[in-house]
């Protein structure tokens, strides 16, 4: 790897087409779908998707999106942000690039005013996210989708854990409200669960 590693952060809609195509190719490798990568927006614009790309020169070595919305939990409103579509170029795995980007996303969410960070990941990735500063919320279930059509992270066939960060004093003060609870994220029908 060259020493020209840098992170760029842009609203998803402003990512240049060439970079967006490379990210789509990496996502296609990680989560195969219909033939051919697309440069169409991946996320619901209402979630204010913020794309973060780790570049080595012009090459995308890792990418993710930070999604944000207000949630209400235990009778309190919080500005919440979470990670989505975290991907690293297979040829660059094991070099710390994904961890660097995930840690930077945690800092970015805090700097942009989130009270807390919440997202789910596959159980086997828990240690990876913990190594980047996130913590596991034991027994917590994120409920995605909508109130009318919920999409919980504990649905049959899923093996997910909920990761979190408490950024503000208020969120930290109420951290006991989150473990072993169902948390209504409800990001909508596009990003059913981030």
């Amino acid at each position: 790897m060259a020493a020209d590693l840098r992170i760029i952060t842009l609203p998803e809609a402003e990512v240049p087409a060439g970079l967006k195509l490379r990210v789509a190719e990496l996502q296609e490798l990680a989560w195969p779908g219909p033939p051919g990568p697309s440069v169409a927006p991946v996320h619901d614009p209402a979630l204010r998707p913020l794309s973060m790309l780790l570049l080595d020169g012009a090459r995308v070595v890792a990418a993710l999106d930070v999604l944000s919305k207000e949630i209400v939990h235990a009778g309190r409103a919080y500005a919440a942000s979470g990670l989505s579509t975290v991907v690293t170029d297979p040829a660059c795995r094991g070099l710390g690039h994904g961890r660097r980007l995930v840690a930077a996303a945690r800092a970015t969410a805090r700097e942009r005013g989130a009270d807390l960070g919440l997202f789910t990941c596959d159980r086997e990735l828990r240690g990876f996210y913990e190594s980047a500063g996130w913590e596991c919320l034991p027994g917590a279930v994120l409920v995605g989708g909508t109130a009318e059509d919920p999409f919980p992270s504990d649905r049959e066939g899923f093996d997910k854990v909920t990761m979190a960060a408490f950024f503000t004093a208020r969120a930290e003060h109420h951290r006991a409200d989150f473990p072993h609870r169902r948390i209504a994220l409800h990001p909508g029908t596009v990003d059913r669960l981030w």
Side-chain angles (χ1 to χ4, degrees):
M1 283 278 128
D4 191 17
L5 287 172
R6 70 190 190 289
I7 295 173
I8 64 167
T9 303
L10 294 167
E12 180 186 46
E14 296 177 20
V15 175
L19 291 176
K20 198 175 285 191
L21 180 60
R22 182 61 187 134
V23 170
E25 290 169 347
L26 291 177
Q27 291 171 345
E28 176 66 20
L29 289 172
W31 309 288
S38 167
V39 295
V42 174
H43 303 290
D44 184 339
L47 300 176
R48 303 184 311 275
L50 186 68
S51 295
M52 297 183 68
L53 285 64
L54 179 61
L55 303 178
D56 181 0
R59 179 182 180 190
V60 177
V61 296
L64 60 77
D65 296 304
V66 178
L67 306 180
S68 301
K69 72 178 298 269
E70 184 173 292
I71 66 167
V72 176
H73 181 69
R76 293 178 192 85
Y78 297 95
S81 291
L83 306 187
S84 183
T85 59
V86 179
V87 66
T88 299
D89 184 329
C92 301
R93 289 188 184 147
L95 301 174
H97 300 317
R99 182 176 297 107
R100 175 179 172 180
L101 190 59
V102 165
R106 184 182 183 282
T108 296
R110 182 183 61 241
E111 290 161 7
R112 294 177 66 89
D115 293 307
L116 57 101
L118 291 168
F119 64 96
T120 61
C121 69
D122 293 338
R123 187 171 306 279
E124 67 266 14
L125 294 175
R126 173 184 171 174
F128 165 75
Y129 287 104
E130 286 175 332
S131 74
W134 296 88
E135 64 182 89
C136 185
L137 279 179
V141 174
L142 287 188
V143 182
T146 63
E148 299 76 28
D149 185 18
F151 190 81
S153 63
D154 65 348
R155 65 190 295 128
E156 188 174 336
F158 274 26
D159 189 18
K160 303 284 186 187
V161 293
T162 299
M163 305 303 292
F166 296 88
F167 300 129
T168 62
R170 183 171 158 276
E172 180 66 38
H173 180 74
H174 296 289
R175 83 167 27 240
D177 292 340
F178 291 88
H180 305 287
R181 302 282 178 88
R182 296 181 85 73
I183 303 165
L185 181 62
H186 298 310
T189 58
V190 176
D191 298 278
R192 298 192 69 203
L193 191 63
W194 73 43

